[in-house]
Amino acid sequence: MMEKLTDLYSDAYSRFKKATFFLVGAIVIGVIVFAYLANVQIDGGTDKIYHTLDVLFYVFCGLLVVAAAAVGFFLYVHGKRKKVWLSRFQKSKLNSRIKTFDVVLAIVIGIFCILCIYPIIYVLAGSFNQGADYSIGGVWLLPRVFTFENYAVVLKDADFWRSYGITIARTVVGTVTALIFTAIVAYAMSRPNLKFRRVFYWINIFTMFFSGGLVPYFLIIKSIGLYDTFWVYIIPSLYSVYNMIVLQNGFRSISADIHDAALIDGAGEFRIWWQIYMPLSKPVLATVVLWVAVGHWNSYFDTMIYTNREELQSLQYFLLKAIQTSSMTEGMPPEMMERLSPQTLSLAAIVLSIIPVFCFFPLIRKNFASGIMVGSLKG
Amino acid sequence: MTEEILAGTESESQVLGKTEEKPERKKRKPWTANDWVLVGMASLSVIFLAVFAYAPLYGLTLAFKDGDGWLNISQAISVADWNGFDNFVAFFEDPDFWNIILNTLGLNILQLLINFPLPILFAVFTAELLSDRYKKFVQTVTFFPHFISWAVYGGIFLSLFALDTGLPALLQQWGLTEHKVDILGDPDYFWWIIIGTSLLKGMGWGSVIYVAAIAAIPQELYEAAKMDGANRFHKIVYITIPSIAPTITLFFILSVSGLLNNGIEHLLVFQNTSNIERSEVLDTYIYKYGIPDFRYSYATAIGLIKSVVSLFLLVSGNWVCKKISGKGIY
């Protein structure tokens, strides 16, 4: 009974700790954000806005004080818990093992992380900066003249939304069809009783080693009538030998007994694939889905070669053109041109294009490596 | 029908030869419905590859034809006259030839020297980090750029390196450089832009495979080594690296066979008319002449050279690795 009570207590305590951690974190972020906003020049900012921001800043400062007081009070009341952090650290192996090497390593890797993510920070800073001010140069970490106008303009851009739609459509349709197609083949190839297994295997493997090259491929795309249609995004990427091998190895790891049992119960191969093997290999399927989906979302070269019509532009191609040719202010009234710059508009468009990737990223991260070792070339 | 079935079982037993049990071969079991279903499922790949991988091989005949300049590529292949090796000769005699070869090989060898070993080191040293939470954080942050397209990630660098608004202006403003350095326009910087950006974007992801390989090393090895008095560097050199050597070999062979491939989506972002001298590689050259310029035969010929050399590199790289470590990829 006593044990259970302590369990209950420590569980509640850890949950409380977590909640406090997030709450305090949110308040600190709020303080930083409003400290910045209250001091930066805001594009079209009136006294009222500045005043409101000031008030919000003080409100968050007050919240921080209250939170600090509450945490301090809690630690004081639960005096025994006060030293838990410190003593845990002192007792841990961690402390005794830390050497200069570890510190240097952590710092070097940390610097690399900052470099990796800096472009994203730069893009955010630029996209919230007023266009005319950005053109002077020197914006590198935080917006100098804060504005939402870039986003407002991009959100009204019909071309942007059309290419966004094309990319979403090709990602969804392309991923689903490619997964089903590749999984069907992979299932058949994973069965030891498949007739002509070796022949199928070599027909597949050969294509990994030798290809016709860009122009003959283009010739095929043109002559089967895919050129300049939406299907040019879907059909040529229905199948990839590499993904097939990954899926095949996933299917192989399922016990043969299950297959035999289903066969005795009278299920056909197709049904076994769909009703047993597909649900059982969700982790591998998730990995392949992510690869295919990311590939679809990110590719722009196919838009460049295989399409001509503007309606088929994918999002990435639209963004690249916007950056390279500064085309986003075309056809705008001159009074808007004065304040906006094509660069900040493209940066805002870039941020909007990254958002879905960012939302799915936790999911991606969870699945990234699960299937990657499976796909060694020895089929 | 029966003929097909007979032919089927025969060739199957020929192919599988040794593994097939003998009494079964004599019986010549007829195909069941499930056999047909399986073959049908597998045939989907044959149909797909016939169109998208084998039919283009026929298109390679363009390399030996005079198919340049036709507006319709289907016409180019069916109507154009044979002209032997003229397209190949034209490429070798092109004044840009040596420049392109230099760029292709130079860029790739640099990548092989820098971008191949660094992810391995990165994986080894991330595994050495003490805090698991920090490790997770590092992995999350370094993976993220991989999932952003080159159009976007490269595009960000285009803004970042823009002469008047980006880093060059900032460096001048801070007094670090005397003049604005035209990073994007100067051909001398091009290779380093490519190396640097692909490191930033790809190092985290490139290390995934090695991280997985390191995670698979049995922990007892390290404990045993510790008992024998090994320090951390001993552990890295004598346990970690040898354990992931097969993975390294595999990816080394693949990298060597890709010696003529450059990521075209990556290069096209940064390529412009002022850095063309150092940025033109085989892939971009083929694209430029093949698609917008209608020089189908010329581009096909160069593509054919590329495919053949790549195949040769793969086979010989595999051969060398087999000789040295006893393990290849096939």
Side-chain angles (χ1 to χ4, degrees), chain B residues 200-249:
Chain B
L200 286 181
K201 190 168 184 288
M203 189 137 109
W205 180 254
S207 71
V208 168
I209 190 97
Y210 303 110
V211 169
I214 290 172
I217 302 173
Q219 212 57 38
E220 293 87 57
L221 283 179
Y222 290 106
E223 280 154 23
K226 201 178 176 187
M227 299 286 274
D228 291 345
N231 66 22
R232 273 160 93 178
F233 292 96
H234 291 141
K235 283 186 206 163
I236 292 177
V237 174
Y238 295 112
I239 301 176
T240 312
I241 303 269
S243 303
I244 61 173
T247 319
I248 298 178
T249 317

Side-chain angles (χ1 to χ4, degrees), chain A residues 97 102 106 110 116 123 195-196 198 203-204 209 211-212 216 235-236 269 298 300-301 304 316 324 364-365, chain B residues 11 15 34-35 48-49 52 54 56 60 73 130 134 140 147 149 152-153 156 200 232 265 269 287 307 314:
Chain A
R97 266 168 42 202
D102 293 304
C116 252
V123 138
K195 309 281 179 192
F196 305 118
R198 290 269 126 175
I203 287 177
N204 275 278
F209 292 148
S211 73
I235 295 173
E269 291 284 1
N298 282 345
Y300 75 85
F301 193 54
M304 206 162 148
Q316 311 299 337
Q324 282 184 336
I364 295 172
R365 225 192 74 80
Chain B
S11 48
V15 174
N34 277 336
D35 285 335
F48 180 91
L49 293 174
F52 290 105
Y54 289 96
L60 283 175
I73 189 169
L130 290 178
Y134 187 52
T140 311
F147 295 97
S149 72
V152 163
Y153 202 70
I156 298 173
L200 286 181
R232 273 160 93 178
E265 291 209 336
V269 173
Y287 162 68
S307 293
L314 180 73

Side-chain angles (χ1 to χ4, degrees), chain A residues 9 13 16 69-79 81:
Chain A
Y9 177 74
Y13 178 72
F16 176 77
V71 171
F73 180 71
F74 181 80
L75 289 179
Y76 177 72
V77 170
H78 296 258
R81 296 260 168 200

Side-chain angles (χ1 to χ4, degrees), chain B residues 60-249:
Chain B
L60 283 175
T61 52
L62 261 177
F64 307 98
K65 284 180 177 174
D66 180 20
D68 289 351
W70 295 82
L71 280 182
N72 186 339
I73 189 169
S74 321
Q75 240 173 348
I77 194 165
S78 51
V79 184
D81 299 324
W82 295 93
N83 69 351
F85 287 92
D86 285 4
N87 295 313
F88 297 90
V89 175
F91 178 54
F92 293 132
E93 284 172 355
D94 190 289
D96 288 335
F97 174 75
W98 287 111
N99 206 18
I100 292 163
I101 297 296
L102 173 74
N103 290 338
T104 310
L105 289 180
L107 201 46
N108 272 314
I109 288 171
L110 267 183
Q111 297 238 15
L112 205 60
L113 290 179
I114 298 173
N115 293 15
F116 180 74
L118 276 183
I120 302 174
L121 288 180
F122 186 69
V124 168
F125 284 115
T126 332
E128 289 294 311
L129 285 175
L130 290 178
S131 157
D132 280 340
R133 202 175 281 176
Y134 187 52
K135 213 185 280 183
K136 229 175 186 177
F137 169 79
V138 168
Q139 283 175 348
T140 311
V141 168
T142 51
F143 287 166
F144 188 64
H146 173 80
F147 295 97
I148 302 174
S149 72
W150 270 122
V152 163
Y153 202 70
I156 298 173
F157 277 98
L158 288 185
S159 322
L160 188 60
F161 292 153
L163 196 57
D164 293 322
T165 53
L167 214 53
L170 203 67
L171 288 178
Q172 192 199 27
Q173 203 175 310
W174 286 347
L176 293 174
T177 52
E178 218 167 291
H179 307 284
K180 287 178 187 167
V181 186
D182 189 3
I183 305 173
L184 292 172
D186 193 335
D188 290 345
Y189 289 117
F190 185 80
W191 287 6
W192 302 108
I193 295 177
I194 297 298
I195 299 284
T197 48
S198 56
L199 258 188
L200 286 181
K201 190 168 184 288
M203 189 137 109
W205 180 254
S207 71
V208 168
I209 190 97
Y210 303 110
V211 169
I214 290 172
I217 302 173
Q219 212 57 38
E220 293 87 57
L221 283 179
Y222 290 106
E223 280 154 23
K226 201 178 176 187
M227 299 286 274
D228 291 345
N231 66 22
R232 273 160 93 178
F233 292 96
H234 291 141
K235 283 186 206 163
I236 292 177
V237 174
Y238 295 112
I239 301 176
T240 312
I241 303 269
S243 303
I244 61 173
T247 319
I248 298 178
T249 317

